[in-house]
């Protein structure tokens, strides 16, 4: 049997939950809203899946999260979350209450299309 935990949180927070709640260490952790995968291997511990990074890199062809961020800086509303909530292929924002999600999504998707970047838009 293979045990995997899937979390929107980063690996550090998943490890904290494993320790705090005494749950078993999984074979795999899919973290950061699916943008990272880790496999537990002895003796070294967590090993990030380079295969997964290569797979999702094709959605941002030659782009960095910084270039995506630059495309969004002039959009009114989204507030970038802390650096610890960002990763190579994920940007996370806070949104004010009452924001027009439909309009915001259309603007963000148009900017991504200009960059030829594909993405998933997850609102929680």
């Amino acid at each position: 049997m293979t045990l995997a935990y899937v979390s929107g949180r980063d690996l550090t927070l998943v490890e904290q939950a494993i320790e705090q709640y005494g749950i078993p260490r999984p074979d795999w952790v899919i973290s950061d809203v699916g943008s990272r995968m880790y496999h537990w291997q002895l003796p070294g511990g967590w090993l990030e899946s380079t295969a997964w990074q290569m797979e999702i890199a094709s959605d941002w062809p030659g782009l960095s999260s910084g270039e995506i961020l630059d495309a969004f800086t002039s959009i009114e509303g989204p507030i970038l979350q802390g650096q610890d909530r960002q990763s190579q292929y994920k940007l996370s924002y806070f949104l004010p209450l009452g924001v027009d999600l439909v309009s915001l999504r259309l603007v963000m998707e148009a900017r991504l299309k200009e960059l030829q970047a594909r993405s998933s838009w997850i609102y929680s």
Side-chain angles (χ1 to χ4, degrees), residues 4-81:
Y5 294 158
V6 180
S7 175
R9 307 293 185 211
D10 63 30
L11 182 62
T12 301
L13 290 175
V14 173
E15 284 192 307
Q16 288 174 0
I18 290 167
E19 185 174 320
Q20 181 178 353
Y21 298 107
I23 56 179
R25 181 170 310 283
D27 302 292
W28 289 90
V29 169
I30 302 169
S31 68
D32 297 277
V33 195
S35 65
R36 290 186 168 173
M37 291 178 73
Y38 298 90
H39 184 243
W40 180 259
Q41 293 185 305
L42 292 175
W46 294 113
L47 179 64
E48 188 167 7
S49 170
T50 55
W52 182 243
Q53 289 301 295
M54 289 172 42
E55 174 71 26
I56 63 175
S58 66
D59 290 332
W60 288 11
L63 298 168
S64 69
S65 58
E67 291 167 302
I68 304 289
L69 176 65
D70 288 345
F72 291 163
T73 55
S74 65
I75 299 173
E76 190 174 321
I79 302 162
L80 191 67
Q81 292 183 9

